[in-house]
């Protein structure tokens, strides 16, 4: 592949050992995918920010890069870590895991990352422009940035995102290229989409059908919000491996059906009706008892609008003594919630915020064991999908109203 003089210098070690190693990773990746050149990136979202993903070996590697003088040349935000640094004891995180996680976060910070620990960096100011090349990891954030913002990234893993942050380069392949961004199947949505949970169910159903393809949606209203599209992308990326979707008349690369498919005509057409959404709900409701121990809202991390809706529904109610209610979000969004007084309403009801982490990226098996959780209720298709396999907890899945009712009664109805 063609490298510029500067990229060749990165590769020969002129910029130091970490950049050399990072450029070797980028070149190997580019050659593996047949890339002809590198693209400059100024924006990275780091997926390997939790020790659950990075492990001790990954933590040691990031520390080594930092100790050898590694410094990020692209603006870098971090995905959730394993802990809420202010509430890790209440989460029953083991001291040893807290220490390793703190080392990993500190190493990223020393290299220049904004260690915000959120999967919705676009709610706190990391909003790439349309057409901008990125190196983002975290499947829900990748789907959002490609589809809703019209930026361009492949689904990066920890090592490749780290290499991009150190070099400011990614190989030009996959979703960076126009020709790989055309829709591959049309989903005509006739189902009624009443709330964000329906968007999650829609994504879950379609993700199973299309796997890692590029779905085009017709029939989603123009009034669809970021929260709704966030939920759609997160679930598309959980039952499938979708990194890009188009919504005709809504997302930037799909002003028309023809543009969404880049002029192609021979695509399959699949209808998605109310029964399809119900099928997704059935699949995700894995828990067979009626007893709820834990209600988790905020996968992906909540926006201020979602928090406002949750507190308005819980105001004046009390969380059942047998239930723990967590709202997952980023620290800046929590600060907005405090400014609005939403925190007081939540605490009065008996719920709490957990920031900078989530059950999928935490050591939740030990948290659940310590707290006696055997079931979880959520309005997130992604969390309901991962909970049984990732930390052995069966899930109840339903809309926000059902989740709040479960928090108050400890029963799933
Ligand atoms: Fe975010 Fe964790 Fe869900 S990273 S999308 S809250 S699984």
């Amino acid at each position: 592949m063609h490298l510029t003089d500067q990229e060749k210098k990165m590769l020969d070690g002129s910029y130091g050992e970490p950049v050399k190693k990072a450029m070797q990773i980028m070149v190997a990746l580019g050659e593996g995918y047949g890339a002809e050149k590198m693209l400059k990136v100024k924006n990275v979202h780091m997926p390997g920010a939790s020790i659950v993903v990075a492990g001790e070996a990954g933590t040691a590697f990031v520390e080594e890069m930092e100790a050898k003088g590694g410094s990020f040349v692209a603006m870098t935000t971090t995905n959730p870590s394993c802990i809420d640094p202010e509430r890790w004891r209440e989460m029953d995180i083991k001291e040893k895991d807290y220490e390793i996680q703190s080392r990993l976060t500190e190493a990223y910070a020393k290299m220049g990352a904004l260690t915000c620990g959120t999967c919705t960096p676009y709610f706190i100011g990391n909003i790439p422009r349309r057409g901008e090349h990125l190196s983002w990891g975290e499947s829900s954030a990748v789907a959002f940035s490609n589809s809703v913002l019209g930026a361009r990234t492949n689904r990066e893993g920890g090592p490749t995102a780290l290499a991009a942050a150190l070099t400011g380069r990614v190989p030009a392949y996959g979703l960076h290229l126009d020709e790989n961004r055309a829709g591959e199947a049309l989903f005509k949505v006739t189902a009624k989409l009443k709330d964000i949970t329906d968007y999650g169910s829609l994504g879950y159903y379609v993700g199973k059908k299309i796997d890692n393809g590029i779905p085009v949606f017709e029939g989603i209203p123009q009034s669809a919000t970021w929260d709704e599209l966030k939920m759609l992308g997160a679930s598309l990326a959980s039952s499938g491996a979708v990194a890009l979707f188009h919504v005709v008349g809504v997302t930037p690369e799909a002003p028309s059906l023809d543009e969404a498919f880049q002029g192609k005509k021979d695509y399959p057409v699949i209808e998605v009706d109310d029964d399809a959404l119900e099928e997704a709900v059935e699949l995700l409701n894995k828990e067979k008892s009626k007893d709820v121990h834990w209600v988790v809202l905020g996968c992906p991390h909540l926006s201020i609008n979602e928090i406002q809706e949750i507190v308005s529904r819980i105001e004046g109610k009390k969380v059942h003594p047998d239930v723990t209610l967590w709202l997952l979000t980023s620290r800046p969004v929590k600060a907005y919630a405090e400014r609005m007084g939403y925190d007081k309403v939540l605490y009065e009801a008996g719920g709490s915020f957990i920031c900078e982490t989530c059950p999928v990226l935490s050591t939740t098996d030990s948290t659940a064991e310590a707290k006696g959780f055997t079931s979880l209720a959520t309005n997130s298709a992604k969390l309901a999908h991962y909970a049984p396999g990732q930390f052995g907890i069966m899930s109840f899945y339903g809309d926000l109203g059902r989740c709040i009712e479960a928090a108050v009664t400890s029963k799933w109805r």
Side-chain angles (χ1 to χ4, degrees):
M1 74 190 289
H2 171 76
L3 297 180
T4 63
D5 289 345
Q6 191 187 19
E7 288 158 359
K8 284 178 190 157
K9 281 186 175 172
M10 291 184 196
L11 199 56
D12 73 17
S14 302
Y15 290 88
E17 179 70 20
V19 172
K20 179 180 179 180
K21 201 167 256 182
M23 191 47 107
Q24 285 170 341
I25 293 172
M26 289 285 108
V27 169
L29 184 68
E31 286 179 348
Y33 282 97
E36 290 176 0
K37 61 175 184 175
M38 294 286 174
L39 296 166
K40 287 188 178 177
V41 290
K42 293 183 175 167
N43 187 326
V44 173
H45 185 65
M46 188 68 68
S50 164
I51 58 165
V52 169
V53 178
E56 288 217 46
T59 301
F61 180 70
V62 175
E63 286 182 315
E64 185 192 335
M65 292 291 105
E66 190 279 318
K68 289 184 172 166
S71 176
F72 292 162
V73 294
M75 193 270 281
T76 302
T77 48
T78 57
N79 211 40
S81 81
C82 167
I83 59 169
D84 180 330
E86 295 180 7
R87 302 198 59 218
W88 62 278
R89 287 189 194 280
E90 286 122 298
M91 293 174 69
D92 286 293
I93 301 288
K94 292 185 177 132
E95 192 99 25
K96 176 171 159 282
D97 292 329
Y98 166 77
E99 279 163 15
I100 302 170
Q101 180 61 62
S102 301
R103 279 174 33 210
L104 178 62
T105 305
E106 192 185 335
Y108 281 130
K110 281 184 175 167
M111 284 193 279
L114 171 63
T115 52
C116 50
T118 184
C119 50
T120 52
Y122 41 88
F123 286 150
I124 62 165
N126 186 354
I127 310 172
R129 65 173 169 74
R130 181 177 176 184
E132 183 177 351
H133 295 284
L134 318 172
S135 173
W136 276 29
E138 164 48 40
S139 62
S140 70
V142 167
F144 193 91
S145 62
N146 272 321
S147 318
V148 182
L149 303 177
R152 296 181 172 216
T153 181
N154 291 312
R155 279 166 63 127
E156 301 294 354
T160 56
L162 178 63
L166 288 164
T167 59
R169 299 290 192 282
V170 290
Y173 76 97
L175 293 176
H176 290 288
L177 307 179
D178 285 345
E179 61 267 30
N180 297 327
R181 297 177 68 87
E184 293 173 343
L186 176 62
F187 292 86
K188 283 182 178 266
V189 182
T190 57
K192 282 182 220 58
L193 300 171
K194 301 176 293 302
D195 54 27
I196 60 167
T197 312
D198 286 341
Y199 279 81
S201 304
L202 169 64
Y204 199 75
Y205 179 84
V206 171
K208 275 198 175 301
K209 299 265 176 231
I210 198 153
D211 192 20
N212 65 353
I214 301 175
V216 175
F217 293 94
E218 201 178 50
I220 289 181
Q222 274 199 318
S223 58
T225 64
W226 270 24
D227 292 330
E228 289 162 341
L229 297 172
K230 170 191 84 166
M231 212 57 138
L232 175 64
S235 51
L236 280 166
S238 346
S239 58
V242 172
L244 168 64
F245 61 91
H246 299 299
V247 182
V248 177
V250 176
T251 56
E253 291 171 56
S256 67
L257 196 59
D258 195 48
E259 283 160 290
F261 282 103
Q262 294 184 9
K264 276 191 306 185
K265 303 283 178 215
D266 54 341
Y267 45 80
V269 180
I270 300 148
E271 188 189 340
V272 188
D273 57 13
D274 289 323
D275 290 344
L277 263 52
E278 198 47 46
E279 191 181 314
V281 173
E282 292 292 318
L283 275 173
L284 287 164
N285 262 296
K286 298 258 183 349
E287 173 62 20
K288 297 298 170 222
S289 77
K290 292 288 171 202
D291 298 326
V292 177
H293 305 126
W294 194 19
V295 178
V296 184
L297 305 170
C299 169
H301 279 179
L302 296 166
S303 69
I304 191 66
N305 291 335
E306 290 176 289
I307 293 174
Q308 189 274 334
E309 186 178 357
I310 293 165
V311 297
S312 74
R313 284 172 182 252
I314 205 157
E315 188 161 17
K317 299 186 173 117
K318 287 279 180 207
V319 173
H320 192 279
D322 296 342
V323 178
T324 297
L325 170 65
W326 280 4
L327 271 57
L328 311 175
T329 192
S330 61
R331 202 145 315 268
V333 170
K334 176 172 173 263
Y336 285 135
E338 288 163 352
R339 175 68 64 93
M340 301 297 287
Y342 300 154
D343 58 327
K344 293 187 188 67
V345 181
L346 179 66
Y347 302 153
E348 181 66 22
S352 60
F353 287 110
I354 292 288
C355 296
E356 304 181 40
T357 185
C358 82
V360 173
L361 292 174
S362 187
T363 49
T364 300
D365 37 5
S366 59
T367 301
E369 193 184 343
K371 295 193 181 300
F373 296 152
T374 60
S375 67
L376 170 155
T378 184
N379 65 344
S380 163
K382 177 172 179 178
L383 183 56
H385 172 76
Y386 282 114
Q390 186 90 4
F391 44 85
I393 288 199
M394 296 296 133
S395 35
F396 297 104
Y397 169 70
D399 64 23
L400 185 57
R402 290 179 86 184
C403 290
I404 298 287
E405 190 190 351
V408 171
T409 63
S410 83
K411 299 289 174 206
W412 189 254
R413 292 186 229 278

